Amino acid sequence: MDKTVPELAEELDINKLRIYRYIKKQNIKPVRTDKNVQYFDETASNAILSHFKDISGSHGSNDKESDTTSDTAENALIELKDSIISRQDKEIKQLYRQVENLQRTIDQQNKQFDQQQQLELESIRIFKKNMMIDTEYHPDTESDIHDTSNDTKSDTVDTRGDNKKGGLFSWLRHSKD
């Protein structure tokens, strides 16, 4: 009985394009063609069937080997993936510890900064308090503190009645007289 390529492909459980390529490569001629369907006689059909059964038979033993090989490769990939995950977990833990240490350092620095600000404010408060006490006991020092710029520019009168310039180096002029 004559068979078509789709029938052969179904019987072999392979793609019909493989059969068409084999037929073209081996230059196998159909017995007849009816409505663009090629029919092959029993000898051609048996040749096609035996070729693909031999290939599938040899691949069948290789399939077991390839299954074992693919299982080994798959296991290697799984081990690789697991090692990568464990390494990344270690890195994440290390980074987490670093973040915690940095946060503690920041907290300590913030606490020290707050303490420093409190000390500065207390120093300013004490300084102002001392200035108020000093001005109560020495009222003339308040004008000296606030009006020092006029002392260096003003002219002073010598005890002898001479006008002389005051200033930073006025004592040098006194020593010459």
Side-chain angles (χ1 to χ4, degrees):
M1 176 176 175
D2 297 339
K3 293 186 179 180
T4 63
V5 172
E7 291 172 342
L8 292 168
E10 185 178 321
E11 186 176 335
L12 291 169
D13 194 29
I14 61 172
N15 191 332
K16 59 185 174 184
L17 290 176
R18 287 184 65 192
I19 296 175
Y20 281 120
R21 282 189 221 120
Y22 178 75
I23 291 170
K24 184 175 182 180
K25 184 178 176 183
Q26 296 299 319
N27 199 18
I28 300 173
K29 301 288 182 202
V31 177
R32 65 185 163 100
T33 305
D34 189 22
K35 297 181 186 176
N36 286 335
V37 176
Q38 296 177 341
Y39 292 91
F40 296 92
D41 64 357
E42 194 171 329
T43 57
S45 297
N46 287 338
I48 295 169
L49 289 172
S50 65
H51 171 76
F52 284 105
K53 284 183 180 176
D54 287 343
I55 292 175
S56 65
S58 66
H59 285 309
S61 64
N62 285 342
D63 284 345
K64 291 177 184 175
E65 291 174 17
S66 67
D67 285 346
T68 307
T69 307
S70 67
D71 286 346
T72 306
E74 186 176 325
N75 288 338
L77 287 175
I78 289 171
E79 287 177 21
L80 178 64
K81 182 183 82 167
D82 289 342
S83 69
I84 290 171
I85 289 172
S86 67
R87 187 183 66 218
Q88 287 176 341
D89 284 342
K90 288 177 185 177
E91 289 175 4
I92 289 170
K93 287 177 184 176
Q94 182 181 8
L95 290 172
Y96 182 74
R97 282 191 298 261
Q98 288 176 352
V99 167
E100 285 179 336
N101 288 338
L102 288 172
Q103 187 62 45
R104 268 186 285 205
T105 303
I106 289 171
D107 290 343
Q108 288 174 349
Q109 288 177 345
N110 283 340
K111 185 176 180 181
Q112 289 173 347
F113 183 70
D114 288 343
Q115 288 173 346
Q116 182 180 0
Q117 283 182 329
Q118 289 174 0
L119 286 173
E120 287 177 5
L121 289 173
E122 183 66 20
S123 296
I124 291 171
R125 189 182 61 77
I126 290 172
F127 178 75
K128 286 182 179 179
K129 182 178 176 184
N130 286 341
M131 289 302 293
M132 292 174 125
I133 291 173
D134 192 33
T135 54
E136 287 177 7
Y137 291 114
H138 306 290
D140 58 332
T141 46
E142 183 178 350
S143 63
D144 288 345
I145 292 171
H146 296 295
D147 200 14
T148 56
S149 61
N150 291 339
D151 289 345
T152 58
K153 293 180 184 175
S154 65
D155 290 340
T156 57
V157 177
D158 191 3
T159 53
R160 290 182 256 149
D162 296 335
N163 276 342
K164 69 177 189 175
K165 289 189 174 184
L168 183 60
F169 297 106
S170 62
W171 61 275
L172 284 174
R173 287 191 212 123
H174 293 294
S175 62
K176 287 182 186 177
D177 290 338

